[in-house]
Amino acid sequence: MPHPPDYQFCPYDGSSLVPGNTAPPVRPACPRCGFVEYRNAVACATFFILQGGRVLLARRGVSPAKGEWDILGGFVDENESIEEAVRRETREEIGLAVESVEYLGSIPDVYGPRRNPVINLYFLVQTEEGDPVAASDVASVEWFALDALPQQMAFPNQKRAFDLLLQRLARS
Ligand SMILES: [Zn+2]
């Protein structure tokens, strides 16, 4: 399904947007001031934490997909590195400090009713010792055996993300 445009009108001067180019992806543009709606992907720092052969997953506490199983993580803030976002989100969502961060790979997806483009960057994270305590936008957390992962996840890319994790673990 193609993405609907974020804007019908220029957010700067209110002009009606027109196709800014002909080859796909066609980007809406303002004929008056030159504004172009690029719809570039927003970066999402997303991570797995393992303990005794089980992986930690989160029950979403907010929309979209409220109540569904989710992989821990969140959007990268302005002026923040991806690694800093992993550390911040781990602290915010489960109250533990990060000791190491290993990159696994990335998977594009869309987010929310406007289907905003997202690039999920997946990591394998080692935390300090301690029990994870759900907070922030996470309603609860639970450890899952790697051969008994949830069939239904909050976002379509997350089943492929499990493959990234399982491929990484098969190499070690
Ligand atoms: Zn304009």
Side-chain angles (χ1 to χ4, degrees):
M1 186 170 108
H3 299 305
D6 271 351
Y7 301 110
Q8 281 185 284
F9 303 101
C10 177
Y12 297 101
D13 58 38
S15 303
S16 289
L17 298 182
V18 298
N21 54 316
T22 50
V26 175
R27 300 183 172 102
C30 175
R32 189 183 299 174
C33 76
F35 165 79
V36 178
E37 190 203 335
Y38 283 100
R39 279 189 78 82
N40 289 332
V42 171
C44 192
T46 321
F47 47 93
F48 297 108
I49 297 167
L50 297 175
Q51 186 182 89
R54 296 178 302 164
V55 63
L56 191 65
L57 297 177
R59 183 80 81 177
R60 286 181 66 78
V62 296
S63 291
K66 184 176 180 179
E68 307 244 25
W69 288 112
D70 195 8
I71 298 169
L72 290 163
F75 292 110
V76 179
D77 282 339
E78 195 174 9
N79 295 320
E80 184 177 54
S81 74
I82 304 276
E83 293 83 354
E84 286 166 347
V86 169
R87 292 171 189 278
R88 175 180 53 74
E89 289 284 346
T90 306
R91 175 68 77 184
E92 284 177 5
E93 292 190 333
I94 59 168
L96 293 175
V98 169
E99 292 186 341
S100 71
V101 177
E102 178 189 337
Y103 180 61
L104 297 177
S106 64
I107 308 177
D109 207 341
V110 294
Y111 185 88
R114 305 186 77 99
R115 299 177 60 78
N116 293 107
V118 167
I119 183 71
N120 294 282
L121 296 122
Y122 282 95
F123 296 85
L124 183 56
V125 161
Q126 185 98 38
T127 66
E128 64 177 333
E129 289 202 19
D131 289 328
V133 177
S136 183
D137 51 2
V138 172
S140 63
V141 289
E142 193 169 314
W143 296 101
F144 283 83
L146 293 171
D147 59 0
L149 295 166
Q151 290 300 304
Q152 174 76 32
M153 292 296 294
F155 302 106
N157 85 89
Q158 293 181 323
K159 292 229 169 172
R160 288 165 59 203
F162 289 144
D163 292 337
L164 282 181
L165 174 65
L166 295 174
Q167 285 161 13
R168 163 63 184 80
L169 297 176
R171 288 198 302 271
S172 61

